[in-house]
Each structure stands twice: as C-alpha cells, then as structure tokens.
C-alpha cells in the first residue's frame, strides 16, 4: 500500500541521514590531517560500516526499480519532496544490476578504487616544496607554492611551477598508475557491467544531463578556444613579452602587495552577499556562527578548498587555506557560495537537497561574480580596474576553458587506456590537448605534459570538471539577466538555489528561462567574456 511504502521510505531516509553523519565526521577528520593515522583508521572503519549498511538497503532500491510503471508512478505521486529522488532511481533502472552484483561492487569499492584514491590524496598532500624568494629559501605546502604562480616576477612564477611539478613528477609513476586503475575500474563497472553507452554517459545520466547537452557544451568550449588565445596574445603585450609562457597565464598586470586579514576578507564577502540579498548573507553566517570554517593553512591539511554539506539541518563545513591574498578572498566567496546553496536547500529531504554536480557550482561561481563586480564598481583607479578585469578573464579561463579541456582529455584518456596505452603515451596525448588549447599564443614547458596527474577531480569523480564550465557559463547568463531585470531577478535566483536536488536541471533552469540544449545559451557566456576582453583593450592596458 501507499502508506506502508511511505513508512519504508521514511525509514530509508533516516538510515541515509545516519550514514551521512558518520561519513561526514570521518571525512572531516581526514581532511584536517591527511597523514593522521588515527583519522585514516577511523575513515576506513566508517567506510566498512557504511558499505555494510548500504548493502542492507539495496533490496529496497531494487524492489522499487522493478515495480511496474503504473505502480511506481502511483507511489512517486504520493512521495512529496522525495519525488525526484524516486524518479532518478527509475531513470537508472536500465543500468542496475542484481542485488548480489550491486553488493559486491559496494564492497570492492571500499578497499579497491576508493582506497586507491585515498592513497592519491595522501601522497599528494604529503608533498612539500622549496622555493627561494627574496633571498630566503622557504619550505611550502602546495597551496602556498601555488600562490606564487600569480607573483609579479616572471622568474618566481617559473620557479614556482617548476618546483610544483618537480614534487609531483617525483611520484609520477605511482600517480599515473593510480589513474590507470581509476579509469579501468570506471570502465569495468560503467561500460562492462552497467552498459552505459560511453564512460562520460554514466556521469551524465546520474546528473540527469542528456549526452547531447554535454556534447554541445564541450563543442562550444572547443570552438571558442581562439577567444582565450586572443586574450593571451594581448596579455603578453601588456606584460611586455613577445609570447606568453604557460608560467605567465595568471600573471598580474599590476603588482599588488595588498593582503587581507580573515576578518577583512569575510567583511568584504559578506558585504557582497548582503548587497544582493540579506538571505545570502544570513545563510553564509551560519557557517561562522557554528564555527564550521577551517581557514588556516598547515602541513598535511587537505590542499585547496571545499564546502561539505552533510545534512540539511546542519550548517555546512567550509575548508580553505587562507593566506591573505586577493585570490583567497575569491575562494572564500566561492566556498561560502556553496554553503549558501546548501542552506537555502535545507528544507528538503536528505534525499533531495544535494544539487546535481553541474548545478552544484552555480551559487559558488555567482558568489565570485558578485565579488568581482562589486570591486570593479567601487574601484576608481584605472590601473586597479584593469587588474580586476584581467582577473575576471583569468578566472573565466580557469573555470570554463581549462576545465572543459580536462574533460576532453578524460574522454580520450578513457579510450586510450582501454586500448592499452601507457602513461607516457597519455602524457603525449595531453600535450596535443594543450597544443590545441593554447594554439600559438602560449609557450609550453615540457613538464606540463604531466599536468593531468595534478588534477584531483579526474581521480575522485571522472568527468566532473565539465560541471565548472557548465556553472560558469550558466552564471554569466544569470548575471546578465540580473543586470537587465534588477530586483525582479533576485527571487528567481533564490528559488533556483532553493531547489537543491529536488528537480531535474532542465526544470530548474527553466525557472530562469534558459534552454541548456541550445548552443546560443552557451555562446552567450563566451560573448560576455569577449566583452570583458574588449573592455580591457579599451583601458589601454599597455600603459
């Protein structure tokens, strides 16, 4: 009966909530110190416990997927907020295996590919780097040395990149082998067992994004490679270089020694959110009020930054490695944007509050956009305005084009490794990817053929990187709509975030009047980026 089904579903939801609480605790302990053996042991124990619990629940999912369509639709119609979750189960029915097979996959993942990815994290987070700056030789974490790729001194930028790659290349054979196993495991399960059409189709289907939409997105990125090549050629001239080196693509046009305290950075970011809507600022403040911000860099702490929303009723956790740079302020805006998305979706079930990955970056990138546009509006100095504009283009490149080309490489890498190609052959193919990507606009150092082993996303979730391209181009479209509609746009934006994962991406985007299957939609984002480059040219950046 419908009533008994809803009772079962509520029990299932309660168990999932408990699982997520345990998994979140273990993950956060490990992220605080990736070399802490007690934290690692705790994570392993929880992983085993959660795998066992998941296997005990498998019967319910399989029973629901096997129902006749009429019966399933009757139960879906009665499920309220859980409707889209159940619809997604049915959507994945053609790729579901028997209960025994599903249980075996769950068990083998814990001590198989998931364990290997943990080893990747441990190896890379344990790397240390040395760099001589102003006559002083410093030992640095990855986040600290990466900060120097935006140094105004060309020799420091080059040295930082070379030292970063020295560290990673010292583990090249192991990291490349882990990636080969990551790809092999994905192929065996998603193609060999589940029978998805292509490796990327597996993630697309889970995201409820049709393959042709992703193909249109990636094709638009590929066709606009010349836009960023034009920018890099202009930037070389502004920097007084004949040709930009790969070491120089994030070089500042105007050196800035400005540093922010954490409190100053939070004031700036929260002020941007407040000026758009107090709802955004109040949601971000929940992270601070619950002491869920870990901002201080330290050895063995997980590198980079992330926001982890464990449960709808809990304030999200935000981890950054804040060093006081302007980039760190943008990172705060990005990660607190993720937190805002989770808080606004907090009225949903634990089964439906996580946004699909292509939409999961919407609030984060929009937060960065609000910050950049506010800084630009308030800055009166022409040189500083030029630097803000250049940083906006740099960020658009890093979020749209760079990520799209990672996905394009992954598509090729999965095919090449299935054909038995070696790591060196993969590196050669990545070099060809870079050559297409940069054209003649950028000079490449040989070490960059191994850039792919530095990208954790391709290890953690194959093909995830196109979500950044999707989100950035979507946000550019949203922001342009905001500039036209003003106050009338704000409720629409808040509603988009409040959906969480309770509806399909197509349905959510329809709220803003967008058709993600349209090439013109994606091209509109590139047209906005082109306008930023035009504005840069108009500022006579050479002077």
């Amino acid at each position: 009966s419908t009533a008994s089904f809803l009772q079962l579903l509520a029990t299932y939801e309660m168990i999932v909530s408990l699982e997520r609480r345990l998994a979140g605790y273990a993950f956060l302990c490990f992220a605080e110190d990736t070399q802490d053996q007690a934290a690692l042991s705790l994570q392993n124990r929880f992983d085993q416990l959660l795998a066992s619990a998941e296997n005990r629940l498998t019967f319910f999912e399989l029973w629901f997927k096997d129902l006749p369509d009429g019966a399933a639709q009757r139960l879906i119609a009665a499920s309220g907020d859980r409707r889209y979750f159940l619809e997604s189960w049915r959507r994945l029915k053609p790729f579901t295996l028997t209960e025994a097979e599903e249980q075996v996959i769950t068990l083998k993942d814990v001590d198989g590919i998931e364990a290997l990815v943990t080893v990747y994290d441990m190896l890379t987070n344990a790397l240390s780097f040395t760099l001589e700056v102003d006559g002083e030789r410093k030992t640095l974490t990855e986040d600290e040395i990466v900060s120097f790729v935006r140094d105004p001194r060309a020799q420091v930028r080059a040295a930082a990149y070379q030292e970063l790659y020295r560290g990673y290349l010292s583990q090249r054979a192991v990291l490349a082998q882990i990636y080969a196993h990551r790809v092999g495991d994905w192929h065996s399960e998603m193609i060999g067992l589940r029978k998805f059409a292509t490796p990327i189709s597996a993630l697309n289907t889970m995201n409820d994004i049709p393959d042709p939409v992703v193909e249109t997105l990636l094709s638009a990125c590929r066709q606009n490679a010349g836009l960023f090549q034009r920018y890099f050629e202009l930037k070389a001239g502004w920097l007084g270089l004949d040709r930009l080196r790969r070491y120089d693509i994030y070089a500042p046009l105007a050196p800035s020694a400005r540093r922010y305290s954490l409190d100053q950075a939070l004031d700036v970011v929260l002020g941007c959110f407040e000026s758009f809507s107090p709802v955004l600022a109040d949601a971000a403040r929940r992270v601070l009020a619950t002491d869920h911000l870990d901002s201080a860099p330290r050895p063995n702490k997980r590198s980079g930054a992330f926001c982890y929303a464990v449960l709808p009723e809990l304030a999200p956790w935000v981890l950054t490695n804040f060093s006081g740079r302007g980039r760190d302020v943008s990172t705060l805006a990005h990660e607190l944007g993720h937190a805002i998305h989770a808080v606004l979706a907090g009225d949903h079930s634990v089964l439906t509050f996580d946004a699909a990955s292509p939409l999961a970056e919407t609030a984060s990138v929009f937060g960065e956009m609000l910050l950049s546009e506010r800084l630009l509006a308030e800055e009166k100095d022409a040189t500083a305005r030029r630097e803000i504009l250049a940083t906006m283009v740099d960020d658009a490149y890093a979020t749209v084009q760079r990520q799209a080309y990672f996905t394009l490489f992954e598509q090729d890498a999965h095919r090449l490794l299935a054909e038995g190609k070696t790591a060196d052959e993969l590196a050669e193919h990545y070099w060809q990817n870079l050559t297409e990507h940069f054209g003649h606009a950028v000079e490449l150092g040989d070490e960059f053929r191994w850039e792919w082993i530095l990208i954790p996303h391709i290890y953690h979730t194959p093909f995830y990187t196109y979500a950044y391209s999707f989100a950035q181009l979507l946000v550019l479209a949203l922001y342009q709509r905001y500039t036209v509609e003003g106050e009338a746009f704000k409720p629409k934006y808040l509603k988009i975030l409040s959906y969480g994962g309770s509806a399909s991406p197509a349905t959510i985007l329809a709220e803003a009047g967008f058709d993600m299957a349209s090439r013109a939609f994606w091209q509109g984002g590139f047209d906005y980026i082109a306008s930023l480059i035009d504005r840069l040219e108009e500022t006579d950046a050479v002077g």
Side-chain angles (χ1 to χ4, degrees):
S1 69
T2 300
S4 59
F5 171 76
L6 293 179
Q7 288 179 341
L8 280 171
L9 186 58
T11 302
Y12 178 89
E13 183 179 45
M14 180 184 66
I15 296 171
V16 169
S17 294
L18 177 59
E19 288 179 344
R20 288 184 62 131
R21 191 180 292 270
L22 292 173
Y25 177 72
F27 174 81
L28 291 166
C29 287
F30 178 70
E32 288 179 359
D33 187 346
T34 60
Q35 307 304 308
D36 185 327
Q37 292 301 306
L40 182 60
S41 176
L42 178 67
Q43 186 179 47
N44 289 342
R45 290 172 62 191
F46 276 142
D47 286 345
Q48 296 284 353
L49 177 63
L50 294 171
S52 177
E54 184 176 339
N55 276 344
R56 288 173 179 264
L57 295 175
T58 299
F59 80 93
F60 181 54
E61 177 182 349
L62 298 185
W63 168 80
F64 184 77
K65 288 179 177 179
D66 283 340
L67 287 175
D69 288 342
Q73 290 306 315
R74 173 176 57 83
L75 297 177
I76 287 173
S79 63
D81 185 61
R82 305 164 184 86
R83 180 187 186 103
Y84 181 64
F85 174 78
L86 296 174
E87 289 174 344
S88 296
W89 267 1
R90 297 287 291 185
R91 185 178 70 253
L92 293 170
K93 178 180 177 178
F95 312 104
T96 302
L97 307 174
T98 66
E99 182 175 357
E101 289 170 319
E102 293 289 355
Q103 290 175 337
V104 168
I105 288 174
T106 299
L107 291 174
K108 68 89 180 169
D109 280 350
V110 173
D111 290 315
I113 193 58
E114 291 174 8
L116 268 180
V117 171
T118 297
V119 172
Y120 172 87
D121 289 339
M122 293 179 69
L123 282 172
T124 56
N125 287 311
L127 294 173
S128 64
F129 309 91
T130 58
L131 187 68
E132 185 171 323
V133 182
D134 298 326
E136 181 183 356
R137 195 159 189 82
K138 299 180 178 180
T139 299
L140 306 170
T141 65
E142 180 174 344
D143 284 282
E144 289 171 331
I145 198 165
V146 166
S147 71
F148 286 100
V149 306
R150 289 178 168 84
D151 194 274
R153 295 160 293 186
Q155 70 276 17
V156 173
R157 294 194 298 270
Y161 269 117
Q162 289 162 2
E163 174 62 9
L164 174 67
Y165 275 82
R166 179 207 60 77
Y168 270 86
L169 291 177
S170 71
Q171 299 291 335
R172 176 177 64 191
V174 176
L175 299 182
Q177 189 62 35
I178 292 173
Y179 183 63
H181 287 300
R182 162 80 276 182
V183 171
D185 180 85
W186 187 269
H187 190 275
S188 295
E189 178 180 340
M190 301 304 177
I191 305 297
L193 296 176
R194 301 193 184 278
K195 308 301 182 183
F196 285 100
T198 65
I200 195 172
S201 184
L203 187 67
N204 295 344
T205 305
M206 288 184 270
N207 286 337
D208 201 3
I209 304 288
D211 288 351
V213 170
V214 177
E215 291 166 7
T216 299
L217 165 64
L218 295 176
S219 174
C221 292
R222 204 164 205 160
Q223 290 182 3
N224 281 275
L227 174 64
F228 290 103
Q229 291 168 14
R230 169 197 164 206
Y231 169 67
F232 291 136
E233 289 171 348
L234 289 168
K235 189 169 186 176
W238 298 333
L239 293 172
L241 302 172
D242 293 330
R243 187 184 181 198
L244 210 65
R245 304 171 303 168
R246 175 61 181 80
Y247 308 131
D248 305 318
I249 62 173
Y250 301 118
L253 299 185
S256 173
R258 183 170 185 180
R259 289 293 182 269
Y260 296 81
S261 68
L262 180 61
D263 286 341
Q264 289 172 329
L266 288 170
D267 284 344
V268 171
V269 171
L270 292 174
C272 291
F273 293 154
E274 186 81 39
S275 64
F276 181 84
S277 170
V279 173
L280 298 190
D282 289 345
R285 290 190 184 103
R286 278 197 62 189
V287 174
L288 307 178
T290 51
D291 196 27
H292 283 188
L293 173 64
D294 179 354
S295 61
R298 55 183 178 270
N300 297 328
K301 179 182 175 182
R302 177 170 163 163
S303 62
F306 69 82
C307 173
Y308 191 11
V310 178
L311 291 170
E313 64 269 24
L314 296 178
W317 277 261
V318 170
L319 176 147
T320 70
N321 286 273
F322 186 86
S323 300
R325 307 157 297 175
R327 296 299 315 160
D328 296 320
V329 183
S330 294
T331 299
L332 270 179
H334 183 101
E335 300 305 335
L336 287 173
H338 278 304
I340 289 166
H341 202 162
V343 170
L344 293 188
D347 290 336
H348 292 295
S349 159
V350 66
L351 305 177
T352 57
F353 97 111
D354 284 327
S357 60
L359 295 184
E361 298 295 336
T362 304
S364 55
V365 178
F366 196 85
E368 288 189 83
M369 192 77 178
L370 289 174
L371 174 65
S372 297
E373 289 288 355
R374 177 171 176 172
L375 294 175
L376 191 62
E378 294 179 350
E379 185 59 65
K380 305 304 180 185
D381 180 73
T383 301
R385 284 176 57 81
R386 187 164 59 238
E387 181 59 27
I388 293 169
L389 280 169
T391 299
M392 290 174 72
V393 181
D394 288 344
D395 289 346
Y397 159 73
T399 308
V400 177
Q401 206 70 353
R402 187 168 185 257
Q403 304 300 328
Y405 269 87
F406 286 153
T407 303
L408 290 168
F409 165 73
E410 283 188 89
Q411 288 182 294
D412 290 338
H414 280 244
R415 172 179 54 81
L416 293 169
L417 285 169
E419 295 172 358
K421 302 299 184 185
T422 66
D424 286 332
E425 288 172 312
L426 244 61
E428 179 57 33
H429 193 84
Y430 189 77
W431 182 263
Q432 295 170 17
N433 174 288
L434 288 176
T435 301
E436 176 189 324
H437 183 168
F438 289 116
H440 296 292
V442 176
E443 177 185 338
L444 297 166
D446 188 66
E447 64 269 30
F448 287 98
R449 68 178 64 246
W450 291 96
E451 183 177 23
W452 50 281
I453 67 171
L454 280 71
I455 311 305
H457 287 95
I458 72 174
Y459 289 82
H460 286 272
T461 307
F463 309 107
Y464 181 87
T465 55
Y466 79 73
Y468 291 104
S469 308
F470 191 113
Q472 176 75 72
L473 294 172
L474 168 60
V475 164
L476 293 177
L478 289 171
Y479 199 85
Q480 290 176 86
R481 185 68 56 86
Y482 171 44
T483 62
V484 173
E485 298 181 3
E487 289 296 319
F489 169 81
K490 294 179 180 180
K492 299 176 186 177
Y493 176 68
L494 296 177
K495 186 174 182 181
I496 288 172
L497 299 188
S498 69
Y499 266 110
S502 65
S504 70
T507 298
I508 295 172
L509 293 185
E511 287 286 338
F514 297 133
D515 177 10
M516 65 183 182
S518 167
R519 179 175 290 274
F521 167 63
W522 303 112
Q523 186 58 45
F526 287 106
D527 292 344
Y528 180 81
I529 296 167
S531 75
L532 293 178
I533 299 172
D534 291 340
R535 289 162 68 184
L536 262 171
E537 285 193 280
E538 291 167 4
T539 62
D540 190 22
V542 175

